[in-house]
Amino acid sequence: MGIDIRLPLGILFLLLGSILVVYGAASNPSLYGQSLGINVNLYWGVVLLAFGALMYALSRRGARAETRAENIPQSPRSSGH
Amino acid sequence: MTGIDWLILGLYFAFVLGIGVALKGSMKTSADFFLAGRAIPAWVAGLAFMSANLGAQEVIGMGASGAKYGIATSHFYWIGAIPAMVFVGIFMMPFYYGSRARSVPEYLRLRFDEKTRGLNAISFAIMTIFSSGISMYAIAKLIQTLHVFDGVLQRLGLNSSWIFDFAIIISAIVVLVYTFLGGLSSAIYNEVLQFFLIVAGFLPLSYLGLKNVGGWSGLKATLGPSYTHSWAGLSHANTNRLGVEWFGLVMGLGFVLSFGYWCTDFLVVQRAMAAKSMSAARRTPLIGAFPKMLFPFLVILPGLIAIALPTQPAVPSHARVVVGAEPPGKGIIPLKLDATSGQPMLDKDGKPQLDYDLAVPSMLLHYFPPGMLGLGLTALLASFMSGMAGNVTAFNTVWTYDIYQSYIRPGATDAHYLWMGRASTVFGIAFSIAAAYMANRFNNIMDMLQLVFAFVNAPLFATFLLGMFWKRTTGHGAFAGLLAGTAAAAIHHGLTLPAGAVVGIKGGWLAVTHTYPSEMAQNFWTAIYAWSTCFVVTIVVSLLTRAPEESKLVGLVYSLTPKPEEEPLAWYARPASLALMVLAGTVLLNIIFW
């Protein structure tokens, strides 16, 4: 029942990451005096983007696996390597 | 807060509400609403298990304790949580989940009798409402002090003194909407979202702060050993910042209080009961224990850094914090000001007190530029909401199943109980709001209520331990033990006093026969006495009363229940392997921060 939380999680972090990256790249460097001269928006935005992409990819993979399982319910389990 | 910060906050609100809306269609039976259909994957339930406990009071309070007591605060995690989380997963979950009980009080009815369930259900329901109200009050007060959200009121043409009401109403409405629509599933999925947001908002804070003070070695050099060791000095209460000796800490916090909370509190146990299988339920607390073990670095460390930074009254201009005008506190922690006079509050020696609760928020304002600041404040609000949703979902379940269905209206249709679940979500939140305003007006009543709750909670674990592992325990024994344990806690509190405190709410209201070096030591020993009394009385009364029929205890007691069958899982994903890994990690952390 319910939802695969990795999908909304992925989308939320992709959006948050994009906002921070764009804002970090466009903002005045003098803004970052308080964060020790590090453009935290840009760098942390990239990390959030990567996390969002990973969660999104995992949710897509999960959805594909589920569809496969539904389509061929009788097939024997793959032996794997 | 600037536009970008509002955008981030708005995005968060849209997603939590969106999850509620998306789940609305799948709430067909009361089991969907109260138990999330018992279909939650282990990792989701595990993060929710940890996140439901991670309220704003936890985030703010642990940062405050970090600034006050140093890294020894991590005992609340490494001694005060991990062992109990491992225990509940490995040893207790087979009975909670296996009995198919829908709540912790219901387990007590199956194992013991109606009166034990009633006692637990009613006290739990009342406590949940008040704790939710108290934390609502705390966060609204914090938002009021920080002045970060005042801009929105000015833009609406309202007086910024309304921010207290505004903060309470908005957060209550958001939590109401998503729990009303999607029940426990909605709360659990949002707790996962909130968990990752909290990490995303706080991790860069620890990083920047630590970099600024010259890493852990720099922090050690500035603060000295009393702040940076967790065990050194615990041989005696006078040689450490906590004011507790190791025995009181390990037995009081590490055993009685910690096991009492993590193993019996329905707020967290409910998350594991919603897991999709026995194996997932057992792994739930174990998976939650991994991030729990590392959370001191996110929530305690910023407190230490806040006290270690050079004292500076200047604050960033965009933050609009009024503390800049006041005399400096210590580090970047401001002085505690009296709400009415605006003057610094003094302690019993006449020295100004620090407002430790502002340690973490001050750190956010100190290091984060617009953008990250929005994410940091969103993380703070996310922690507040996940804690509140935890209370709300635990309340509506206990109310509907253990009070309404048992005593008020048994035998109604499932659709009626589903309706009652939604209705109790509404009035549960309404009562919490009332409690928040009560806390604002009558602070002393709230202190007293919290004290009474502590007396009620202290003996609980003795009852569960005996109930699950000694088949001879009877309902009369459990009930008598709980009452005696609560009475013992009250009497112990009435007879002792922390050093320097005044007789009254802090203790000694019967007679002062013993003085503890700190309030924490008194709390831990109150718990130890309560637990021991409950343990002994339960055993004695059980032996004096008729033994329960063994056939009725199958699935509820260790010796009468077949071992849970292991699902075919990879070696590293089995409950026992997870338990060993997390325990080894905790031992290692204790050694590193000795």
Side-chain angles (χ1 to χ4, degrees), chain B residues 71-87:
Chain B
I71 199 71
T73 307
S74 57
H75 287 310
F76 284 89
Y77 288 75
W78 298 337
I79 290 294
I82 304 295
M85 290 169 92
V86 169
F87 187 84

Side-chain angles (χ1 to χ4, degrees), chain B residues 200-335:
Chain B
F202 282 90
L203 198 56
L205 188 65
S206 289
Y207 173 77
L208 288 174
L210 211 51
K211 195 173 158 69
N212 196 9
V213 295
W216 180 247
S217 53
L219 206 56
K220 261 169 136 167
T222 321
L223 292 174
S226 76
Y227 270 103
T228 50
H229 283 281
S230 58
W231 286 99
L234 273 175
S235 55
H236 194 277
N238 293 338
T239 51
N240 65 79
R241 303 190 69 83
L242 299 171
V244 186
E245 80 299 338
W246 69 271
F247 185 82
L249 181 90
V250 172
M251 291 311 289
L253 173 68
F255 182 62
V256 179
L257 291 175
S258 158
F259 281 69
Y261 177 77
W262 292 100
C263 304
T264 74
D265 197 304
F266 184 52
L267 189 148
V268 287
V269 174
Q270 187 177 27
R271 271 76 197 146
M273 284 180 167
K276 64 178 179 183
S277 65
M278 170 68 90
S279 142
R282 294 183 71 198
R283 281 178 289 149
T284 292
L286 301 169
I287 291 170
F290 281 90
K292 186 80 188 167
M293 169 174 85
L294 298 171
F295 250 62
F297 301 111
L298 286 189
V299 296
I300 299 176
L301 203 53
L304 265 92
I305 295 164
I307 201 93
L309 285 170
T311 302
Q312 47 187 189
V315 287
S317 57
H318 70 264
R320 272 200 297 251
V321 172
V322 286
V323 291
E326 300 302 326
K330 185 157 188 287
I332 56 166
I333 301 173
L335 294 177

Side-chain angles (χ1 to χ4, degrees), chain B residues 97-118:
Chain B
Y97 196 87
S99 70
R100 306 305 279 176
R102 298 168 301 178
S103 67
V104 167
E106 191 163 74
Y107 172 82
L108 288 177
R109 186 183 64 76
L110 294 172
R111 173 62 185 88
F112 297 121
D113 52 17
E114 194 59 60
K115 62 178 181 297
T116 311
R117 181 251 282 268

Side-chain angles (χ1 to χ4, degrees), chain A:
Chain A
M1 189 201 65
I3 47 175
D4 182 355
I5 188 63
R6 290 173 298 187
L7 182 63
L9 195 59
I11 296 172
L12 175 64
F13 275 80
L14 283 172
L15 289 172
L16 286 175
S18 317
I19 292 173
L20 287 180
V21 165
V22 171
Y23 185 77
S27 57
N28 189 333
S30 68
L31 207 58
Y32 300 103
Q34 65 183 116
S35 55
L36 317 176
I38 301 170
N39 188 334
V40 273
N41 287 334
L42 180 62
Y43 295 129
W44 195 241
V46 171
V47 176
L48 298 189
L49 264 180
F51 176 75
L54 174 72
M55 282 294 138
Y56 185 82
L58 286 174
S59 80
R60 292 294 85 193
R61 208 184 64 170
R64 273 199 305 277
E66 209 162 276
T67 329
R68 257 201 314 277
E70 273 165 20
N71 288 348
I72 32 170
Q74 301 301 322
S75 75
R77 293 184 67 171
S78 88
S79 56
H81 308 281

